Amino acid sequence: MSNSAIAGHRRPRAGFSLVELLIVVTMMFAITGAVASMFRSQSRAFTANEARYDMVQNGRGTIEESERVIRTMGAGTPDNQPVLVYGAPTVLAFNTDYVEQDTVNMRWAAYFDPDTPTAETIAWDQTVAAAIPNSSPSYTYPTSTYQLGNGATSPAETYIFYFVSDSSTTRTDDYILYQRVN
């Protein structure tokens, strides 16, 4: 074989041309951008679902706690103290011996909590009577200080659950549930 025959026949070059590399790099940027966009979208959806889940869990916990208290309605109330004080679509007020702080004289309380303030473990005193929130017309309670047959103050405290429109949101159907004892 002569040198001229070898020179006319070229061997293929190894590697890629600049144009081929630019095409591959552009495709990689496009794929990376699409994947990043998908991950951002999924992250936002996850965060939104997590917030909704937290809201549902908070609502469920509130309902369960409220049910627990409401189930004790009337427990430990003497005959002269009303069980249901006031009821309307946005308020429920009732008497119950829900919590006791002292185990020595414990009567009918559903729960024991030594840290509960004394004023929240006995009947609401007439000298500090106040309007029931959301009552229409305004209903002031209590009309008397309720006592047991032996003259001791009734152990049944007054629980009030009431809704108030939540002004911190733009929605008109958001409410806050308040609980008040005495």
Side-chain angles (χ1 to χ4, degrees):
M1 219 177 196
S2 71
N3 283 341
S4 61
I6 293 176
H9 182 271
R10 292 174 130 193
R11 287 190 312 178
R13 288 188 340 216
F16 300 102
S17 71
L18 184 58
V19 172
E20 290 170 329
L21 284 175
L22 285 174
I23 291 171
V24 168
V25 168
T26 303
M27 288 174 58
M28 290 302 289
F29 275 128
I31 291 170
T32 303
V35 169
S37 175
M38 182 185 74
F39 279 129
R40 275 194 305 273
S41 170
Q42 291 298 318
S43 178
R44 280 192 299 270
F46 179 78
T47 302
N49 285 337
E50 186 178 33
R52 274 189 234 118
Y53 179 76
D54 286 346
M55 184 175 62
V56 167
Q57 285 297 92
N58 288 342
R60 182 177 291 140
T62 300
I63 290 170
E64 288 174 2
E65 177 66 23
S66 300
E67 282 178 338
R68 188 166 56 118
V69 174
I70 292 169
R71 276 191 216 118
T72 66
M73 184 187 300
T77 56
D79 291 339
N80 64 341
Q81 188 175 11
V83 172
L84 181 62
V85 174
Y86 189 89
T90 61
V91 62
L92 175 64
F94 59 92
N95 289 311
T96 182
D97 189 5
Y98 181 72
V99 67
E100 183 68 53
Q101 68 173 183
D102 127 30
T103 56
V104 176
N105 295 316
M106 190 165 178
R107 296 162 291 263
W108 307 281
Y111 294 96
F112 167 73
D113 183 356
D115 298 325
T116 302
T118 303
E120 293 181 16
T121 65
I122 57 174
W124 197 353
D125 193 297
Q126 180 186 13
T127 61
V128 291
I132 300 289
N134 295 353
S135 59
S136 179
S138 183
Y139 181 72
T140 301
Y141 185 81
T143 55
S144 65
T145 300
Y146 296 102
Q147 298 177 333
L148 297 173
N150 64 5
T153 303
S154 168
E157 56 273 11
T158 303
Y159 264 83
I160 305 170
F161 289 100
Y162 61 101
F163 289 99
V164 174
S165 183
D166 187 355
S167 61
S168 68
T169 68
T170 57
R171 296 178 54 131
T172 59
D173 60 348
D174 283 347
Y175 292 87
I176 299 171
L177 174 63
Y178 287 101
Q179 173 183 322
R180 176 178 168 181
V181 180
N182 288 352

